[in-house]
Amino acid sequence: TQLLEQSPQFLSIQEGENLTVYCNSSSVFSSLQWYRQEPGEGPVLLVTVVTGGEVKKLKRLTFQFGDARKDSSLHITAAQPGDTGLYLCAGAGGQNFVFGPGTRLSVLP
Amino acid sequence: NAGVTQTPKFRVLKTGQSMTLLCAQDMNHEYMYWYRQDPGMGLRLIHYSVGEGTTAKGEVPDGYNVSRLKKQNFLLGLESAAPSQTSVYFCASSNLLRSPLHFGNGTRLTVT
């Protein structure tokens, strides 16, 4: 069974700070996606990474896929209150996705 | 654009009651999925469908049934609800296998 772990589980920071959250597994994934979920809504896709070592940037968010395609990180520069939410990683393995438990981020003004 | 629509948004059931959750998508997607989300456990796949008339079991299928009679609709049924089925249920769709998932806004189900 493929499993994804995410750390930290919870993170509360002040506006303007930088942060990194992690998504780790002992399994290799063909691709990995990051989603953000706000209260009362479904997850929304942020990015898909496919190639080992790949780095993608989305404004203040930087996503990296590990060289061995077993792990990924999400770095947010100068966090804003609008970044508050649950960040989920999902690995593509077999026919379907495996989701991590998420990192709940709170950015305080 | 409606995207993925789930009904109802909230429901409270007594143990042993039955209900059906409806998911509708207007993106002409082939693949549809039902997930449940519980605190600290992420999203777990219940059942999925790779096209009209097809269904398959996911990670946690016990106690649930599904049907995909029309391409745009995916129904999740609970025949005899149990407190362990208290959760938030999400429907999702995608165009291709392992392509990005489009989620509905969820159904919060409480079984007492």
Side-chain angles (χ1 to χ4, degrees):
Chain A
T1 302
Q2 295 176 305
L3 293 174
L4 277 169
E5 298 177 343
Q6 291 189 246
S7 60
Q9 187 176 0
F10 299 97
L11 186 58
S12 182
I13 61 171
Q14 293 294 132
E15 181 177 0
E17 293 183 3
N18 301 332
L19 67 114
T20 302
V21 298
Y22 301 92
C23 174
N24 297 292
S25 177
S26 58
S27 303
V28 175
F29 293 99
S30 59
S31 66
L32 194 137
Q33 299 176 347
W34 284 92
Y35 292 81
R36 180 169 67 210
Q37 183 179 17
E38 300 188 20
E41 298 183 4
V44 176
L45 180 74
L46 294 173
V47 78
T48 301
V49 286
V50 179
T51 306
E54 182 177 5
V55 176
K56 280 192 174 179
K57 292 192 174 184
L58 184 66
K59 296 183 180 178
R60 293 176 293 100
L61 279 60
T62 301
F63 303 85
Q64 184 163 7
F65 201 13
D67 291 340
R69 290 184 289 129
K70 294 182 178 181
D71 54 82
S72 180
S73 64
L74 159 58
H75 181 80
I76 301 179
T77 302
Q80 304 293 315
D83 296 326
T84 293
L86 179 67
Y87 288 80
L88 297 162
C89 63
Q95 281 212 326
N96 295 298
F97 291 100
V98 175
F99 279 84
T103 291
R104 190 166 297 279
L105 172 66
S106 178
V107 182
L108 305 174
Chain B
N1 291 334
V4 178
T5 303
Q6 292 183 233
T7 53
K9 295 186 187 302
F10 303 93
R11 186 71 186 267
V12 178
L13 289 179
K14 294 185 186 300
T15 298
Q17 288 184 320
S18 63
M19 77 163 295
T20 300
L21 281 66
L22 173 64
C23 176
Q25 55 97 0
D26 62 1
M27 296 171 284
N28 202 35
H29 284 171
E30 288 293 335
Y31 298 84
M32 296 188 75
Y33 311 82
W34 276 107
Y35 289 89
R36 59 177 289 173
Q37 186 175 36
D38 301 291
M41 300 189 73
L43 288 156
R44 292 183 291 168
L45 183 63
I46 305 171
H47 286 280
Y48 65 101
S49 168
V50 300
E52 180 179 316
T54 75
T55 63
K57 294 181 180 180
E59 179 187 357
V60 289
D62 294 342
Y64 305 95
N65 57 76
V66 288
S67 64
R68 184 113 181 257
L69 299 179
K70 293 183 178 181
K71 185 176 182 178
Q72 63 268 34
N73 296 336
F74 196 29
L75 278 62
L76 177 70
L78 286 73
E79 290 186 347
S80 179
S84 61
Q85 293 177 305
T86 293
S87 187
V88 182
Y89 292 86
F90 286 97
C91 176
S93 69
S94 66
N95 188 31
L96 299 170
L97 185 65
R98 297 198 295 272
S99 64
L101 298 172
H102 297 257
F103 285 88
N105 284 334
T107 295
R108 183 174 294 275
L109 174 66
T110 302
V111 183
T112 61

